[in-house]
Amino acid sequence: MKESVPTAIVIDDDDAVRSSLKLLLRSVKLPVTVYASAQEFLPKYSVDQPGCLIVDVRMPGMSGLELQQQLNLRGAMIPVIFITGHGDISMAVEAMRHGAFDFLPKPFRDQDLLDRVQRALEKDAANRREIAQTERIRELFETLTPREREVLELVTSGKPNKVMAADLGVSQRTVEIHRARVMEKMHANSLAQLVRMSMDLKESAHPDSQGGRRER
Amino acid sequence: MTARNPTSVELLAILDAAVEAVILIDAHGAVEVFSRAAERLFGYAADEVVGRNVSMLMAQKDRDLHDAYMDRYARTGVPHIIGIGREVQGRRKDGSVFAAFLSVGRMADQVPARYVGFLQDLTLRDQALAAVVRERDRANRYLETIQTMLVALDTQRRVTLINRKGCEVLGCREDALVGLDWFETAVRPEDRRDAAEEFGTLLAHGTKMPFDTEYRVQAADGSVRLIAWRYVLVREPDGSVTGILCSGDDVTETRRAELEARDAREQMMHVSRLATVGEMAAGISHELNQPLAAITTYAQAARRLLIASDFRDADITDALEQIAGQALRAGEIIRRLRNLVRNRQTQRESTQINALIEELGALTRVDARMHDVRVRLDLAAVLPELELDPIQIQQVLLNLVRNAVQALEYQESAGREVSIRTALAADGDVEIRVCDTGSGVTEDMLERLFLPFATTKSDGTGLGLAISRSIIEAHKGTLEYMPNMPRGACFVIKLPVPEGPNS
């Protein structure tokens, strides 16, 4: 699996469906790999592989839903588009509840699938950018001294310098120096940017859902 | 030894030894000799009769005639009895009257004439005759009262006898039929040729065993009855066949009831098949959606490739091939379904059970895939052809496989397997086993297993196994349950191989 090239990964036990999807995705020049089962796919998968999954819900051995749970456990956040020959609403609901990116009943229009694949790839890219961004902020944060971290906390909670000086028991001037150092170390151009960085940090420390998905 | 005249001693011995009564009379009818046999026959001693007129030995009617005969013969010489003999009525000493055969001879060269009479007792003959008449009357009463048609036909197919029931069914009198060609007269035109042909064959290759057949007769009023016939050949003591006795039972109503019952049963089977297909709806839509998804995706991909003018020919031809193949795959499923739900009459066909099972794969896969179960076929290499209704047997197999698949629902996915095995059993029957490795049948369910409405499934009708067994039994086979080893259930169908020229 070539890293860094976003790839559509098809997992379907039906030979004809699998090969037809491969041809369709190739026709729009999307890199594509196919697997006949979840068991075949899992050992070859690396979380660093960007892309999206197109998975049949019901397969012998490990079902699509079971695969999704496995991926969740590994912290993989690759978007999963489920396809199914059963127009089964309850299954669709369950898949979405477990964080499926989308759900498409067979047979489908090529454009419907390609649109979803496109959106899933964008979503994956965004996720990956977000992760990379958070990683960078964390690295910068690690360079702050304990006192500077305190100042960051107070600044981003909206306290004026005078109040901070009182809280910390230092002079207002000292607060201003710390504050300038924090802005410099965090590569922040404005208070607003610093606030957003701080929020990102808090969020990544307490993610509100596995894989950090907040939107579609 | 030269001939000589017997002595008088010898003549007396002959006289006494004769079984017939011998009486000599003179020209006036006076008795001269009265033999021992005569004494036994009439109950008189000889000396009670000798010298008296012979008419004392006759009943009143003959007594009157006798004198007139004697008189006329004396006058005209025309004999009425001499050399001819006739039946007369004798009168015993006790007054009782009996039948006897009297032959009279005139003694040669005796003037005045003397006569000798020989009397043969006919009492036994009359008794025997009376017994025969009684038997005949009784037989006739039987013939007339039994509720079975009896028709006797000669070798020319003509009616020689028909009983009352026969006449009743045909609505005509006995004399209207006797002498007529039975098949042309009474048998329904549609059945006439076959019935007559059968009759001819039976006459030609006569058998000692009764022969059973069935054809329709047509009554005088045009109504038609279906009769089950039994033929028995009628033979002379020398063994030659003189005709056929046919006994027939009117089975019109029975057969109609049977047909209605069969129709009802077929209707039920059909409804049950529809119910099965209904239960399979989700699986069927999946089985159809798979090829449809492949077809649409191939077609759309091919279209994109063509528009982009960036393709290898092999991609397009491969896609088209796949499209055709997948369309056939979908069509096959629909065809199997259509066959299964078609409302049709039972029809037996010579069938290879292995081929039937392989064909059924399109449908058994539906449930198997739904439940992530593998269906393994283990088919005997060579099996004799069976005479059966393919759709009904498929219905049974589908039902058994679906049961087996559902029994595996709570099983580890790795071990989910249903096997269908065919084999030739030791007794020559063809055996089909459908086995699973589920939890088997519980002890308390075992008794009710094949009863209608016995079910452990929330969505089952409880008719599946009951109908399956009735189908197999209608094929003269058996359907039994036995535990599968080491675990699970096994249903064993045994079907008889038809006896044919090949077997």
Side-chain angles (χ1 to χ4, degrees):
Chain A
M1 203 178 285
K2 274 179 284 171
E3 274 188 36
S4 81
V5 180
T7 303
I9 300 164
V10 175
I11 308 171
D12 195 313
D13 63 307
D14 191 299
D15 294 349
V17 173
R18 200 168 60 240
S19 324
S20 67
L21 282 172
K22 185 176 177 181
L23 189 68
L24 177 65
L25 294 165
R26 256 184 41 212
S27 76
V28 292
K29 305 253 185 274
L30 257 175
V32 52
T33 50
V34 297
Y35 299 92
S37 72
Q39 293 97 316
E40 191 188 314
F41 159 73
L42 267 179
K44 300 197 176 142
Y45 176 64
S46 147
V47 288
D48 296 331
Q49 170 63 51
C52 70
L53 288 181
I54 302 162
V55 183
D56 193 350
V57 178
R58 244 195 248 264
M59 288 182 292
M62 187 189 290
S63 75
L65 293 183
E66 286 163 344
L67 170 65
Q68 188 178 30
Q69 281 158 12
Q70 288 289 321
L71 290 173
N72 287 347
L73 285 177
R74 296 181 187 199
M77 46 190 260
I78 185 163
V80 181
I81 299 168
F82 280 116
I83 52 176
T84 177
H86 304 274
D88 191 333
I89 297 296
S90 65
M91 195 182 293
V93 170
E94 201 191 338
M96 297 310 287
R97 217 159 46 81
H98 284 89
F101 179 76
D102 214 333
F103 194 95
L104 207 56
K106 293 178 188 174
F108 35 74
R109 287 175 186 285
D110 54 347
Q111 200 56 56
D112 288 349
L113 180 77
L114 294 175
D115 286 350
R116 279 168 174 78
V117 169
Q118 202 52 52
R119 283 213 301 276
L121 291 177
E122 283 163 13
K123 167 76 177 160
D124 186 54
N127 284 345
R128 287 175 194 283
R129 273 200 306 276
E130 197 178 307
I131 289 169
Q133 178 72 6
T134 308
E135 283 303 308
R136 198 173 68 90
I137 295 167
R138 184 171 299 284
E139 280 163 20
L140 296 175
F141 181 77
E142 297 294 333
T143 65
L144 300 183
T145 64
R147 177 60 90 185
E148 285 163 354
R149 293 183 191 186
E150 275 179 306
V151 170
L152 173 66
E153 176 65 29
L154 291 169
V155 168
T156 54
S157 62
K159 297 248 170 98
N161 289 351
K162 204 192 294 179
V163 177
M164 278 192 281
D167 282 359
L168 297 172
V170 294
S171 72
Q172 203 169 320
R173 174 70 187 147
T174 309
V175 169
E176 276 167 19
I177 291 168
H178 280 311
R179 184 175 169 161
R181 291 292 293 275
V182 169
M183 294 285 280
E184 190 186 328
K185 279 184 167 179
M186 294 299 286
H187 299 276
N189 298 321
S190 65
L191 179 60
Q193 197 180 354
L194 194 66
V195 169
R196 202 164 60 237
M197 284 173 161
S198 162
M199 278 171 65
D200 277 353
L201 276 176
K202 281 177 186 158
E203 207 168 83
S204 69
H206 308 285
D208 55 4
S209 71
Q210 263 188 309
R213 295 185 178 85
R214 282 169 299 168
E215 59 174 43
R216 262 238 0 234
Chain B
M1 203 165 78
T2 55
R4 65 171 173 84
N5 287 329
T7 65
S8 61
V9 175
E10 286 167 341
L11 280 173
L12 274 174
I14 292 168
L15 201 61
D16 284 344
V19 176
E20 295 188 335
V22 182
I23 302 170
L24 253 65
I25 56 173
D26 66 12
H28 305 289
V31 176
E32 291 181 343
V33 172
F34 198 66
S35 77
R36 285 269 169 78
E39 287 181 324
R40 282 195 298 275
L41 183 58
F42 287 94
Y44 287 109
D47 51 10
E48 291 177 281
V49 182
V50 172
R52 299 178 62 184
N53 193 285
V54 72
S55 64
M56 71 179 285
L57 300 172
M58 300 171 183
Q60 190 60 50
K61 189 181 68 155
D62 286 322
R63 194 179 293 176
D64 298 342
L65 290 169
H66 184 254
D67 291 342
Y69 288 153
M70 295 268 289
D71 199 41
R72 190 172 55 187
Y73 180 66
R75 260 194 349 261
T76 64
V78 177
H80 253 253
I81 181 168
I82 294 169
I84 304 165
R86 68 187 166 90
E87 200 176 321
V88 295
Q89 298 268 302
R91 187 172 173 279
R92 293 195 190 88
K93 184 180 180 183
D94 63 9
S96 61
V97 170
F98 64 95
F101 190 83
L102 172 65
S103 42
V104 178
R106 184 184 166 174
M107 293 192 200
D109 309 328
Q110 299 271 327
V111 180
R114 293 168 74 200
Y115 306 95
V116 60
F118 296 88
L119 275 159
Q120 191 185 358
D121 188 359
L122 294 180
T123 310
L124 283 175
R125 189 209 65 177
D126 280 359
Q127 281 171 354
L129 211 59
V132 168
V133 169
R134 264 198 317 277
E135 283 305 313
R136 188 197 61 196
D137 289 349
R138 187 155 62 189
N140 270 335
R141 272 200 309 282
Y142 287 152
L143 270 181
E144 296 310 294
T145 51
I146 54 169
Q147 288 301 303
T148 294
M149 298 175 74
L150 279 176
V151 183
L153 305 178
D154 65 14
T155 53
Q156 301 304 303
R157 320 198 309 193
R158 285 182 302 239
V159 178
T160 56
L161 174 149
I162 178 164
N163 73 339
R164 181 176 299 167
K165 178 67 180 179
C167 294
E168 206 177 283
V169 169
L170 295 172
C172 62
R173 287 152 45 95
E174 179 178 359
D175 51 18
L177 273 172
V178 169
L180 295 180
D181 183 310
W182 167 253
F183 294 98
E184 292 298 324
T185 318
V187 178
R188 185 143 205 257
E190 290 90 325
D191 297 355
R192 194 171 286 161
R193 207 174 56 100
D194 288 351
E197 206 174 281
E198 208 171 60
F199 181 84
T201 310
L202 195 63
L203 275 182
H205 312 282
T207 156
K208 289 212 165 54
M209 298 292 291
F211 175 84
D212 293 314
T213 184
E214 219 169 78
Y215 56 78
R216 289 167 294 180
V217 295
Q218 194 163 269
D221 65 1
S223 68
V224 172
R225 313 294 299 177
L226 178 65
I227 312 292
W229 294 100
R230 167 157 286 203
Y231 289 171
V232 178
L233 289 175
V234 180
R235 292 171 190 274
E236 288 291 288
D238 68 1
S240 62
V241 174
T242 57
I244 290 183
L245 182 64
C246 322
S247 70
D249 287 316
D250 187 343
V251 292
T252 314
E253 305 306 332
T254 323
R255 210 43 52 85
R256 184 175 299 155
E258 280 169 11
L259 279 179
E260 277 169 11
R262 199 194 67 188
D263 282 354
R265 206 165 51 236
E266 277 178 6
Q267 202 56 37
M268 190 176 69
M269 289 175 194
H270 180 231
V271 169
S272 157
R273 288 199 295 271
L274 287 177
T276 302
V277 171
E279 287 163 19
M280 289 168 67
I284 291 163
S285 79
H286 180 256
E287 282 304 296
L288 289 176
N289 280 337
Q290 292 288 61
L292 288 178
I295 288 168
T296 45
T297 308
Y298 270 124
Q300 290 161 343
R303 189 180 60 95
R304 282 175 187 276
L305 290 172
L306 287 170
I307 289 171
S309 302
D310 172 24
F311 56 87
R312 294 177 302 142
D313 284 355
D315 284 340
I316 306 298
T317 51
D318 182 54
L320 290 175
E321 240 166 62
Q322 288 285 348
I323 285 168
Q326 293 300 309
L328 289 176
R329 170 181 159 194
E332 177 68 9
I333 295 163
I334 291 167
R335 198 165 67 81
R336 295 275 152 237
L337 274 177
R338 232 190 88 70
N339 272 341
L340 196 64
V341 299
R342 212 172 57 201
N343 199 359
R344 50 187 278 293
Q345 285 230 316
T346 298
Q347 16 178 282
R348 298 288 163 89
E349 294 167 18
S350 195
T351 309
Q352 264 297 342
I353 193 78
N354 285 348
L356 198 72
I357 290 170
E358 274 164 5
E359 274 180 18
L360 192 65
L363 295 183
T364 53
R365 263 199 298 279
V366 168
D367 282 281
R369 241 204 274 269
M370 278 285 280
H371 292 85
D372 189 12
V373 170
R374 210 170 82 85
V375 177
R376 188 166 55 86
L377 299 188
D378 181 4
L379 306 179
V382 182
L383 284 177
E385 297 220 321
L386 298 177
E387 197 64 30
L388 47 78
D389 183 310
I391 298 302
Q392 287 182 5
I393 297 298
Q394 284 194 337
Q395 178 178 3
V396 172
L397 292 171
L398 183 60
N399 183 32
L400 294 180
V401 171
R402 295 190 68 231
N403 282 349
V405 164
Q406 285 166 18
L408 295 170
E409 197 165 5
Y410 302 107
Q411 200 71 11
E412 274 300 304
S413 109
R416 290 183 184 172
E417 187 176 272
V418 171
S419 71
I420 307 177
R421 205 156 67 232
T422 59
L424 196 59
D427 59 7
D429 285 356
V430 168
E431 197 177 84
I432 309 152
R433 283 166 185 262
V434 178
C435 303
D436 63 63
T437 50
S439 49
V441 175
T442 57
E443 197 69 37
D444 62 319
M445 190 61 207
L446 210 51
E447 274 175 35
R448 301 180 296 131
L449 196 56
F450 289 98
L451 296 181
F453 309 116
T455 182
T456 55
K457 294 179 215 154
S458 55
D459 58 348
T461 58
L463 284 174
L465 281 177
I467 289 175
S468 294
R469 178 174 264 185
S470 83
I471 288 175
I472 296 299
E473 283 175 354
H475 284 79
K476 303 202 186 341
T478 57
L479 170 58
E480 301 291 346
Y481 165 80
M482 60 173 65
N484 191 26
M485 291 299 149
R487 56 176 282 123
C490 208
F491 285 86
V492 184
I493 300 171
K494 290 186 80 173
L495 289 170
V497 176
E499 288 172 27
N502 305 328
S503 63

